[in-house]
C-alpha cells in the first residue's frame, strides 16, 4: 500500500512535471519567437539608422553647400549695395554742393539788396531827421512856451518876494533878540544839566547847585531896568514895535505879515 501510494504520488508528480515541461516548452517557443521578432526589429532599426545617417550626411553636405552659396550671394549682394550706395552718395554730394552754391549766390544777392535798401533807408532817415529838426514851430507849442515863460517870471517874482520877506523876518528876529538881551542881561546864562558831573559822596551832605536860573523879570523891573536904562539900544526908527512902551506883563506883539498874498504856481 505504501508502494502504491508512493507510485501514485510519483505518477502525479510526473504528470505535474510533464505539464510544467510542456508549459515551459511552450513559453520557450514563445520567447524564441519574440526574440526573433526583436532581432528583426533591431535589424530594421539598424537599417533605418544607417539610412538616416546617410541622409543626415547628405543633408549636412547640402546645408554646407547652401551656406557657402548663400554666403557668396550675400557678399555679392553686399558689394552691389555698397557700389550703389557709393554712387547715390556721390550724386547726393554733388546735388548738395550745387544747391549750396545756389543758396550762397542767392544769399549774397539778398544781402547786397538788403544793404542797398538799408543805405536808402538810412539816407531817407537822415533826410527825415533833418526835416524834423528844421521844422517850423507849431502855434500851440509857441503858446505853451510863452505861457511857461510867463509862469517862470511870475515864479521868480514870488521867489524874490519870499526872499525879501525872509530877510525882513530874520532882521526883525535879530533886532528883538538883541533888545531882549540888552533889557534883561547882556550875557544870559541858561540853566543846563551836566550829566558828566561827579556824583556826591555819601558822607558829603552839603547840597550842590547843579542848575543855573535865569534872572527874575520882576527883580529886574524893581531894580530900575526899563526905558531909562543906559545899556538899552536905541529903537529902530519907524518901527511900530519900539514906539510902544515896554511892558513886562504883556508879550511882545507878533510881526505883521506882508499885505500882498503869496501866490504859488501849480504846474500840470
Amino acid at each position: 500500500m505504501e508502494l502504491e501510494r508512493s507510485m501514485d504520488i510519483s505518477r502525479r508528480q510526473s504528470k505535474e512535471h510533464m505539464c510544467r515541461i510542456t508549459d515551459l516548452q511552450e513559453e520557450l517557443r514563445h520567447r524564441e519567437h519574440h526574440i526573433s521578432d526583436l532581432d528583426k526589429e533591431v535589424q530594421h532599426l539598424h537599417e533605418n539608422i544607417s539610412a538616416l545617417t546617410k541622409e543626415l550626411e547628405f543633408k549636412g553636405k547640402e546645408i554646407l553647400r547652401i551656406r557657402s552659396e548663400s554666403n557668396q550671394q550675400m557678399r555679392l549682394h553686399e558689394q552691389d549695395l555698397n557700389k550703389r550706395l557709393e554712387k547715390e552718395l556721390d550724386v547726393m554730394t554733388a546735388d548738395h554742393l550745387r544747391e549750396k552754391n545756389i543758396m550762397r549766390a542767392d544769399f549774397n544777392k539778398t544781402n547786397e539788396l538788403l544793404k542797398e535798401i538799408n543805405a536808402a533807408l538810412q539816407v531817407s532817415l537822415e533826410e527825415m531827421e533833418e526835416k524834423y529838426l528844421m521844422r517850423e514851430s507849431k502855434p500851440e507849442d509857441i503858446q505853451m512856451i510863452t505861457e511857461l515863460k510867463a509862469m517862470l517870471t511870475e515864479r521868480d517874482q514870488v521867489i524874490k518876494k519870499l526872499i525879501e520877506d525872509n530877510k525882513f523876518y530874520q532882521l526883525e528876529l535879530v533886532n528883538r533878540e538883541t533888545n531882549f538881551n540888552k533889557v534883561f542881561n547882556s550875557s544870559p546864562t541858561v540853566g543846563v544839566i551836566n550829566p558828566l558831573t561827579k556824583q556826591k559822596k555819601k558822607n558829603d551832605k552839603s547840597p550842590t547847585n547843579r542848575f543855573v536860573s535865569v534872572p527874575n523879570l520882576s527883580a529886574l523891573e524893581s531894580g530900575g531896568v526899563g526905558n531909562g536904562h543906559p545899556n538899552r539900544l536905541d529903537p529902530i526908527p519907524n518901527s511900530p514895535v519900539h514906539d510902544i512902551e515896554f511892558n513886562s506883563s504883556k508879550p511882545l506883539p507878533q510881526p505883521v505879515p506882508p499885505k500882498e498874498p503869496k501866490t504859488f504856481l501849480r504846474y500840470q
Side-chain angles (χ1 to χ4, degrees):
M1 288 173 70
E2 289 178 0
L3 182 62
E4 286 177 357
R5 189 181 296 114
S6 62
M7 288 295 288
D8 290 332
I9 291 168
S10 65
R11 282 194 294 270
R12 284 196 298 272
Q13 286 180 355
S14 62
K15 287 180 181 180
E16 289 177 358
H17 287 126
M18 288 298 291
C19 290
R20 182 70 180 271
I21 288 168
T22 54
D23 292 333
L24 289 173
Q25 286 178 356
E26 187 177 358
E27 186 177 357
L28 180 61
R29 283 193 300 271
H30 180 70
R31 292 289 178 89
E32 287 177 353
H33 187 267
H34 183 66
I35 287 168
S36 63
D37 292 336
L38 289 175
D39 289 335
K40 291 179 181 179
E41 188 177 356
V42 168
Q43 188 177 1
H44 181 69
L45 288 173
H46 281 297
E47 290 176 357
N48 290 331
I49 288 170
S50 62
L52 289 173
T53 304
K54 291 178 181 179
E55 188 177 0
L56 183 62
E57 289 177 356
F58 177 75
K59 294 289 184 182
K61 291 178 182 180
E62 189 175 359
I63 287 169
L64 291 174
R65 182 178 59 79
I66 292 169
R67 183 178 293 175
S68 62
E69 290 177 357
S70 63
N71 290 328
Q72 188 176 0
Q73 289 178 0
M74 287 175 66
R75 284 195 297 271
L76 293 173
H77 186 65
E78 187 177 358
Q79 290 176 0
D80 294 336
L81 287 175
N82 288 327
K83 290 179 181 179
R84 190 181 302 172
L85 289 174
E86 286 178 357
K87 290 180 181 179
E88 291 179 357
L89 184 62
D90 293 335
V91 172
M92 291 177 66
T93 305
D95 294 336
H96 175 69
L97 290 174
R98 185 172 59 256
E99 292 178 357
K100 185 177 179 182
N101 293 325
I102 293 169
M103 291 177 67
R104 185 175 294 172
D106 294 337
F107 176 75
N108 292 328
K109 290 180 182 178
T110 308
N111 195 9
E112 290 177 358
L113 182 61
L114 288 174
K115 285 181 180 178
E116 293 177 358
I117 294 171
N118 191 11
L121 290 174
Q122 190 69 27
V123 172
S124 63
L125 180 62
E126 291 177 357
E127 291 177 356
M128 294 297 291
E129 286 181 353
E130 186 176 0
K131 288 181 181 179
Y132 179 75
L133 294 174
M134 300 299 292
R135 73 187 185 282
E136 296 180 357
S137 299
K138 295 181 180 179
E140 53 268 19
D141 294 338
I142 296 171
Q143 185 179 359
M144 186 179 290
I145 289 169
T146 53
E147 290 178 358
L148 290 173
K149 286 182 179 179
M151 292 170 70
L152 285 173
T153 54
E154 188 176 358
R155 186 169 182 179
D156 291 336
Q157 292 177 1
V158 172
I159 291 170
K160 289 180 181 178
K161 184 67 176 174
L162 291 173
I163 292 170
E164 291 177 358
D165 293 340
N166 190 14
K167 288 182 180 179
F168 171 75
Y169 287 125
Q170 287 179 355
L171 293 173
E172 186 67 24
L173 182 62
V174 171
N175 189 13
R176 289 192 178 190
E177 187 177 359
T178 52
N179 290 330
F180 188 81
N181 292 333
K182 290 293 183 179
V183 170
F184 293 102
N185 192 0
S186 60
S187 59
T189 304
V190 183
V192 178
I193 299 174
N194 188 4
L196 300 177
T197 55
K198 295 181 180 180
Q199 296 180 357
K200 295 188 297 181
K201 295 181 180 180
K202 293 182 179 180
N203 295 328
D204 190 5
K205 296 181 180 180
S206 61
T208 59
N209 294 325
R210 296 176 62 189
F211 301 96
V212 179
S213 61
V214 180
N216 192 0
L217 184 61
S218 61
L220 290 173
E221 289 182 354
S222 63
V225 179
N227 293 330
H229 196 276
N231 292 327
R232 184 178 178 183
L233 293 175
D234 295 330
I236 298 173
N238 299 325
S239 177
V241 179
H242 297 92
D243 293 339
I244 305 170
E245 186 178 358
F246 178 73
N247 189 2
S248 62
S249 62
K250 294 181 180 180
L252 294 174
Q254 297 293 329
V256 180
K259 295 180 180 180
E260 296 179 2
K262 295 181 177 61
T263 59
F264 295 96
L265 297 177
R266 179 178 295 174
Y267 296 95
Q268 295 181 357

